[in-house]
Amino acid sequence: MSAGTMPARQILPQMEPKHVPRTSMSWYFAFFFVSGFCSILYELIWLRLAMAQFGVTTAMVSIVLSSFMAGLGVGSWAAGQLVRKYAARLTVSPLQLYGVAELMIGCSAVVVPLELLLGRVVLEHVGASLSLSSAGYYVAAGLWLACTLVPWCACMGATIPLGMFAIRSDKSLESKRSFSFLYLANVLGAVAGTLIPLALIELFGFNRTLQIGMVFNLAICGTALWLANRQVAQRADVASGEPSGAVADEQQNASTSSVLSLSLSVPSLREMLGNGNLWLLFATGLTSMGMEVVWTRLYTIYVGTLVYSFALILGVYLAATFLGSTVYRWWSRRHGSEGSLVWMSVWLAALIPLLTADKRLGMSPWWRVPAGVAAFSGLLGFVTPSLVDRFSEGDPNRAGAGYAVNVAGCILGPLVAGFGLLPYLDERYALVLLALPWLTVGLWFAFRQPPAESGTAKSFRAPIAIVVVVVLAASLGLILKTRSYVQAIPGAQIRRDSTATVIAAGQGRFKQLYVNGVSMTVLTPITKVMASLPLALLDHTPQKALVICFGMGTTHRSMVSWGIDSTAVDLVPSVPALFWYFHADAAQVLASPHSHVVADDGRRFLERTNEQYDVIVIDPPPPIGAAGSSLLYSREFYSAAKKRLRPDGILAQWYPGGDRTTTAAVARALKDSFPYVRAFVSIDNWGVHYLASKQPIPVRSAADLAHRLPPSAVADLVEWGPFHTAEQQFAAVLKNEVPLDLPISMDRSAPAMEDDRPVNEYGFLRHTSWWPH
């Protein structure tokens, strides 16, 4: 090449130091790590806030998660379309667009809680036209939640296509695998988002934790805008100091986005329907989210119903996904495809929870989840970014379409598992059915697709066939030889619904009620005292009572023995269906005109009914730290209960006991909510009966209380002892009255239980030895 034809940069080497700055890929990794952290933080807290406002039901959880995932899908698709159609006309840099998306996500931290609160108010005003258990309520609530969450979640979904666009516009950065790079950072941030927010919520509550997330999003926005403005300013400096030829080069580089926009391809509907990568992406989304629902039920017997239990499952899933994506990034530098036998491995890995959930396997309860979940999650973390990279090749529009297809599967997965499989099948068989698509895919790849690395497919047929036979034999062993926890309970009566698997077992007074394998209650006279003590303390003849949490039905049965109207509410429809197993006269009680049983969230029922009750009894499900249980101990709950109590009515709160901070928080919430509160340690010194009222609660003797019971209620109260007369039964409770300041004094620094500060559910830090107390 002659000197006259050499570019200006080669003729004038002294100008070389002046160049347009490049944005390091490390910036993008940091952006998407923090963004992934904030997204999971928002998802977990919004889900909980929605449950507080609209009801703790499986249907409501599915609506929230589906709305969240729908927003991600819409945003991913829409951002890809935006890049394709308008890149040539954009006057702002891709980083600036990305910064605006993060700004909107940050705003959602403040706006969404207000929108949820407004939705509750709106539904309360239209509640007269909607039945408490009607599909109409869920339609109305679902529409509000969709309108609330989808726009903000769309901003989250838009970040990956916009980030890919920013990377693609910088020719110094490798863009063909940019989706997997951003996906990797996003998932790693999500792993942190399953753990750190639990500590933040314990320290600061839900709303302040959301505000911390908002600060992070605003920091991303500010940094992205700063980098974009720095690029523009330094590009102008370079252009002003170079000869005209160099200026022309820089102007050509500045128009890169226009050239890029012309090269972005548009997948047609026919191409999308016929593209195997997209069908596999849909399957990864459907099976992964469906499996999460099944895992939650499968492992509940081992890890319980705590918020940390769900965090463990989600954290292991995301951590394994991150590791799988990391392996893919390394693998893809050396190989063109993932290999045909990977898909058979996905099928086998999906069945491992059958083994780790078997009670006969000697393993620590908290190790069962990682051992069972990690392999499947890691393999999906490997193949998902591989499929998107292969389909998109760095094209933001195609990546947005591929990711949206994956999210569509994520939306459908929980619905299929929660409403199509678990109400009818054992968790083990539901898991097998969700895994079956991967057996089909694995066999297809093993026998119908020739190995790309081989000159002839026949040379690899025999080894592949051997591997397939081994995998099939192992999978059959897992399916046929492992056992469910249900099979370990002799004579169990089983009921299933979309909310839980309910089991009744045992004989005589040793009968037990299990929900998802966790023991809920036993036949005890304490549940009879819950009804008769507050009713006998009233200054007037009772007429109506409300029991929140049906359990074995003992408290509801005791209420009916008084000859008054009793309404019992339980979240799990299958729980009242087993009433007959625990009480021989169950059919007679249910047939009584005084008996009313409702399958609904207890708090939602209380807030939406117009009835006035003489006594409201709350017997929350154990353990004291169960996820969502604080909604039946909080000041907001007691405020709603006061509206449904008659002026001299009594609220009876059963407290089974807990750590010192939880005990103080519950007692303080009652003291802040009611002017008059009395506390009695129950029979056998187990738990506390809290009685609260808007008017003074009469002080009566055991004999006076016993005299107020009708004969049928007397017979009911002493049915199981431990004493022979109602007077003795009451005396055993009255002698154990304690001042309310005693439980409060157990932790003077404990805040009152509130919806925003669920002290009982979040206690990891205060239970650790290294955290200051």
Side-chain angles (χ1 to χ4, degrees):
M1 180 182 294
S2 65
T5 61
M6 292 179 67
R9 291 181 188 274
Q10 294 178 328
I11 297 174
L12 301 171
Q14 69 273 15
M15 300 300 295
E16 189 63 20
K18 287 189 175 184
H19 62 279
V20 178
R22 306 299 184 186
T23 302
S24 169
M25 289 292 279
S26 61
W27 280 110
Y28 291 101
F29 192 92
F31 289 159
F32 279 82
F33 173 86
V34 177
S35 184
F37 169 83
C38 294
S39 295
I40 292 295
L41 182 152
Y42 294 151
E43 178 183 4
L44 295 176
I45 296 181
W46 288 348
L47 173 60
R48 177 52 188 275
L49 295 181
M51 290 165 63
Q53 303 298 348
F54 300 104
V56 186
T57 66
T58 300
M60 196 56 61
V61 172
S62 298
I63 289 171
V64 174
L65 294 180
S66 296
S67 298
F68 192 92
M69 299 307 298
L72 294 181
V74 168
S76 178
W77 174 82
Q81 293 292 307
L82 172 70
V83 169
R84 181 183 68 83
K85 290 184 177 180
Y86 301 107
R89 287 176 265 174
L90 290 175
T91 59
V92 296
S93 74
L95 265 178
Q96 288 174 319
L97 286 176
Y98 172 75
V100 171
E102 291 289 351
L103 173 64
M104 297 300 294
I105 296 170
C107 293
S108 70
V110 175
V111 178
V112 167
L114 298 177
E115 290 181 307
L116 294 175
L117 181 61
L118 178 61
R120 174 182 173 182
V121 174
V122 169
L123 288 184
E124 284 180 353
H125 281 82
V126 301
S129 61
L130 297 174
S131 128
L132 288 170
S133 302
S134 70
Y137 175 80
Y138 286 113
V139 170
L143 287 174
W144 189 275
L145 284 167
C147 292
T148 297
L149 297 181
V150 169
W152 302 110
C153 296
C155 296
M156 299 179 189
T159 56
I160 285 186
L162 293 178
M164 291 179 65
F165 181 41
I167 292 174
R168 188 181 175 97
S169 67
D170 192 332
K171 285 299 186 182
S172 69
L173 302 178
E174 192 269 328
S175 65
K176 282 196 173 183
R177 298 183 305 134
S178 58
F179 175 86
S180 59
F181 176 80
L182 300 180
Y183 180 82
L184 183 73
N186 213 234
V187 171
L188 183 60
V191 173
T194 64
L195 303 175
I196 297 175
L198 300 180
L200 295 177
I201 293 169
E202 181 178 349
L203 295 173
F204 306 116
F206 290 127
N207 284 295
R208 288 183 64 186
T209 300
L210 284 174
Q211 292 166 10
I212 292 172
M214 177 184 67
V215 170
F216 283 129
N217 283 122
L218 295 181
I220 298 174
C221 170
T223 305
L225 295 179
W226 171 72
L227 288 172
N229 291 336
R230 189 184 68 166
Q231 281 186 340
V232 172
Q234 294 190 9
R235 182 180 288 119
D237 291 342
V238 170
S240 64
E242 292 186 343
S244 58
V247 173
D249 288 343
E250 293 301 331
Q251 289 175 343
Q252 183 177 4
N253 289 336
S255 63
T256 300
S257 62
S258 298
V259 176
L260 288 172
S261 67
L262 297 176
S263 66
L264 299 178
S265 60
V266 186
S268 66
L269 180 60
R270 175 175 295 181
E271 178 189 358
M272 293 180 69
L273 291 176
N275 192 294
N277 292 322
L278 292 183
W279 283 107
L280 290 173
L281 280 170
F282 178 82
T284 60
L286 185 147
T287 55
S288 62
M289 293 298 290
M291 290 283 190
E292 280 192 45
V293 175
V294 177
W295 293 336
T296 301
R297 284 216 199 171
L298 197 64
Y299 290 111
T300 295
I301 188 174
Y302 302 109
V303 298
T305 56
L306 309 176
V307 292
Y308 301 101
S309 307
F310 177 73
L312 173 67
I313 294 174
L314 183 60
V316 170
Y317 167 75
L318 291 172
T321 299
F322 168 76
L323 292 176
S325 300
T326 303
V327 172
Y328 161 71
R329 291 282 298 176
W330 171 82
W331 174 275
S332 61
R333 296 189 186 102
R334 297 164 177 81
H335 304 84
S337 64
E338 63 277 351
S340 59
L341 292 179
V342 167
W343 303 102
M344 286 298 295
S345 302
V346 175
W347 152 254
L348 183 61
L351 301 180
I352 294 177
L354 298 178
L355 175 63
T356 59
D358 193 324
K359 294 189 71 173
R360 297 172 298 174
L361 181 68
M363 180 180 288
S364 169
W366 291 94
W367 280 108
R368 290 178 182 266
V369 172
V373 170
F376 177 75
S377 305
L379 286 168
L380 290 194
F382 181 94
V383 300
T384 299
S386 169
L387 293 169
V388 176
D389 277 350
R390 189 183 307 159
F391 177 71
S392 67
E393 295 186 339
D395 184 334
N397 180 43
R398 294 178 67 87
Y403 188 51
V405 169
N406 179 256
V407 170
C410 292
I411 296 171
L412 191 59
L415 301 177
V416 170
F419 296 97
L421 298 178
L422 290 175
Y424 311 104
L425 298 173
D426 184 278
E427 291 84 354
R428 299 173 68 257
Y429 300 126
L431 187 142
V432 172
L433 285 179
L434 283 172
L436 272 178
W438 297 117
L439 175 61
T440 304
V441 170
L443 293 174
W444 189 91
F445 272 95
F447 295 115
R448 299 215 32 202
Q449 179 176 322
E453 65 274 10
S454 173
T456 61
K458 292 182 179 179
S459 62
F460 281 85
R461 289 297 184 189
I464 288 177
I466 292 173
V467 172
V468 169
V469 170
V470 171
V471 170
L472 290 176
S475 59
L476 283 175
L478 287 173
I479 296 171
L480 299 177
K481 297 299 183 179
T482 55
R483 291 173 56 185
S484 167
Y485 70 88
V486 175
Q487 295 173 281
I489 303 176
Q493 295 291 325
I494 305 169
R495 298 292 183 274
R496 305 180 190 278
D497 57 49
S498 59
T499 304
T501 298
V502 182
I503 299 173
Q507 299 295 325
R509 285 284 308 280
F510 299 99
K511 294 177 180 178
Q512 284 192 305
L513 176 69
Y514 301 89
V515 176
N516 289 335
V518 177
S519 178
M520 290 288 108
T521 184
V522 295
L523 295 172
T524 170
I526 292 175
T527 50
K528 295 176 176 291
V529 174
M530 291 180 196
S532 289
L533 180 61
L535 287 173
L537 283 170
L538 291 172
D539 266 337
H540 64 275
T541 302
Q543 297 178 344
K544 288 185 178 182
L546 174 65
V547 179
I548 294 179
C549 299
F550 187 86
M552 291 179 170
T554 305
T555 304
H556 175 62
R557 179 171 173 260
S558 296
M559 292 288 191
V560 174
S561 74
W562 277 70
I564 65 174
D565 286 344
S566 175
T567 300
V569 183
D570 201 279
L571 174 64
V572 184
S574 294
V575 166
L578 288 170
F579 185 26
W580 62 270
Y581 186 87
F582 303 105
H583 300 284
D585 60 349
Q588 180 182 345
V589 173
L590 293 176
S592 169
H594 297 297
S595 175
H596 312 281
V597 179
V598 179
D600 200 352
D601 170 56
R603 176 162 169 171
R604 184 173 78 101
F605 179 90
L606 184 67
E607 291 173 340
R608 294 174 56 77
T609 185
N610 294 319
E611 297 287 345
Q612 294 288 303
Y613 299 98
D614 299 289
V615 168
I616 298 176
V617 176
I618 308 104
D619 181 14
I624 186 63
S629 62
S630 65
L631 297 174
L632 297 179
Y633 292 107
S634 68
R635 290 200 299 189
E636 291 83 354
F637 171 71
Y638 295 138
S639 175
K642 282 196 296 186
K643 298 176 183 178
R644 299 297 165 235
L645 276 176
R646 297 188 188 276
D648 59 346
I650 295 176
L651 178 139
Q653 173 76 70
W654 167 248
Y655 178 68
D659 64 80
R660 300 173 70 87
T661 302
T662 298
T663 301
V666 171
R668 191 180 294 278
L670 282 163
K671 183 177 181 179
D672 291 351
S673 303
F674 291 91
Y676 303 98
V677 182
R678 297 177 68 182
F680 302 88
V681 177
S682 192
I683 298 171
D684 297 329
N685 294 318
W686 174 33
V688 179
H689 298 281
Y690 285 108
L691 304 182
S693 181
K694 294 178 284 186
Q695 295 185 10
I697 300 173
V699 177
R700 304 188 190 280
S701 66
D704 189 12
L705 293 176
H707 180 71
R708 290 171 169 269
L709 270 65
S712 56
V714 171
D716 175 82
L717 182 61
V718 300
E719 180 182 10
W720 299 331
F723 302 99
H724 298 294
T725 67
E727 181 178 348
Q728 293 173 326
Q729 205 90 316
F730 282 128
V733 177
L734 293 179
K735 71 177 183 180
N736 288 330
E737 183 170 7
V738 296
L740 188 61
D741 283 342
L742 179 61
I744 293 176
S745 67
M746 291 184 176
D747 188 347
R748 293 289 184 184
S749 63
M753 191 81 73
E754 295 180 332
D755 287 351
D756 189 59
R757 293 291 301 274
V759 174
N760 62 319
E761 299 177 41
Y762 296 84
F764 175 78
L765 293 179
R766 68 174 181 266
H767 290 144
T768 55
S769 58
W770 50 267
W771 188 259
H773 297 279

